[in-house]
Structure formats: C-alpha cells, structure tokens
C-alpha cells in the first residue's frame, strides 16, 4: 500500500507500507511530519499564509485525536470528507484511477519493482496533470450536491 500527499504542483511525499503492515494513527502522524517538512521546503508559501488545506478521507487513523492534535498544531485546515466517497477524493477518482490504467496487465515479482514502477508513473506526470486533478474538485463536489449526496462515477 502506498500513501501519497500531493497538490496542484505535484507530489509532496509518498511512502510504501511493508507487506502486512497497517497504518495507525501514530504512523500516520509520522507521515504528516515528513510530508510537512517536505512541503515547507517545496512550497513554503502554502504554509506561511496560515497553514495548508488538507483533504483526507475519514479512515480511523485520520480521525484519531492524536491526528487531530497534530494537524491543529501545524495549523492545517481540514476539508470535510463524507464516508465512502471516492467520487470526491482527487486521489481516488483521479490519481489512482490513472495509476490503475498505467498498471494494466503488469505483473511484479517484488516490492522494489512496484516502487520503481510507481516512481516511473509519478515522474512521467507534469504539473498540468496534477493541476487538473485538484482543480476538478469543486466540479466534483457540485455533482455531489446536484445528486443529493448519491454516489456517482
């Protein structure tokens, strides 16, 4: 499993879990720290304005009090994300959908090959790719409103 942090400028940080490893609130907070450090170096203006805006789903580690405390201390604004709504998460409806197309009919023998191919996918994308995924979010949210909260694809 890969965790990825990205915005309209591109990938900020990603990491792979070891086989059999699960993400916990503590490990998620460590990822937040790493991502935050990278964001400070890559795009300090996002943090200097009053903190970044974060959209993440409602998985248990994301909603834990330790995670809320971490994000509050970093002055991140959290966008609300309803349960089971991959249709309004740019990572789900855009980034991973494109990655899935990239992976079609590929087979891997080990995790290193998976990581190399993931890096190849990410490195093949320009800024326009990432902007499109993020800038489509308001349109997707409007579709949710227009569909009275029902799922769409």
């Amino acid at each position: 499993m890969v965790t990825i942090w990205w915005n309209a400028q591109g990938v900020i940080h990603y990491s792979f879990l070891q086989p059999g490893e699960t993400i916990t609130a503590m490990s998620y907070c460590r990822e937040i720290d790493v991502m935050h450090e990278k964001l400070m170096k890559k795009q300090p203006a996002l943090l200097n304005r009053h903190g970044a805006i974060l959209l993440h789903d409602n998985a248990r580690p994301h909603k834990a009090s330790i995670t809320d405390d971490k994000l509050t201390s970093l002055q991140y604004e959290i966008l609300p994300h309803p349960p089971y709504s991959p249709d309004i998460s740019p990572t789900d409806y855009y980034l991973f959908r494109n990655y899935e197309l990239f992976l079609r009919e590929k087979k891997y023998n080990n995790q290193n090959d998976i990581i190399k191919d993931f890096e190849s996918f990410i490195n093949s994308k320009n800024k326009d790719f990432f902007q499109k995924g993020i800038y489509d979010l308001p349109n997707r949210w409007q579709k949710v409103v227009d569909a009275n909260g029902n799922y769409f694809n």
Side-chain angles (χ1 to χ4, degrees):
M1 183 168 96
V2 63
T3 57
I4 186 165
W5 306 79
W6 63 288
N7 64 18
Q9 303 300 308
V11 173
I12 300 161
H13 169 68
Y14 65 88
S15 68
F16 282 83
L17 295 177
Q18 294 299 314
E21 184 181 7
T22 59
I23 194 139
T24 65
M26 289 296 292
S27 63
Y28 189 60
C29 286
R30 285 191 297 273
E31 288 294 313
I32 291 169
D33 284 334
V34 172
M35 179 277 305
H36 183 76
E37 289 295 319
K38 289 181 177 181
L39 186 58
M40 283 193 323
K41 290 177 184 165
K42 290 181 178 186
Q43 298 172 32
L46 284 177
L47 300 173
N48 291 338
R49 67 170 187 83
H50 179 64
I53 300 171
L54 176 65
L55 172 63
H56 62 178
D57 63 23
N58 59 348
R60 216 171 257 167
H62 302 173
K63 299 312 252 175
S65 61
I66 187 173
T67 304
D68 287 339
D69 293 346
K70 167 64 68 181
L71 294 170
T72 299
S73 74
L74 296 173
Q75 295 183 316
Y76 278 61
E77 178 183 343
I78 308 303
L79 289 177
H81 190 276
Y84 312 110
S85 300
D87 51 337
I88 60 170
S89 168
T91 300
D92 291 326
Y93 72 74
Y94 185 73
L95 184 69
F96 284 156
R97 182 170 288 161
N98 279 281
Y99 183 49
E100 181 182 340
L101 294 172
F102 177 83
L103 291 176
R104 289 237 166 113
E105 299 187 28
K106 292 186 178 188
K107 296 185 193 279
Y108 298 97
N109 294 319
N110 59 59
Q111 186 168 1
N112 287 337
D113 290 343
I114 294 168
I115 293 169
K116 285 180 193 173
D117 220 21
F118 178 79
E119 290 170 345
S120 175
F121 168 76
I122 293 300
N123 292 332
S124 73
K125 303 303 177 196
N126 62 24
K127 184 177 171 181
D128 292 340
F129 171 83
F130 294 102
Q131 283 180 344
K132 181 178 179 339
I134 297 297
Y135 293 165
D136 191 39
L137 185 57
N139 296 329
R140 304 284 295 197
W141 281 18
Q142 186 60 53
K143 286 182 182 179
V144 170
V145 171
D146 294 346
N148 293 319
N150 292 321
Y151 177 78
F152 65 90
N153 199 0

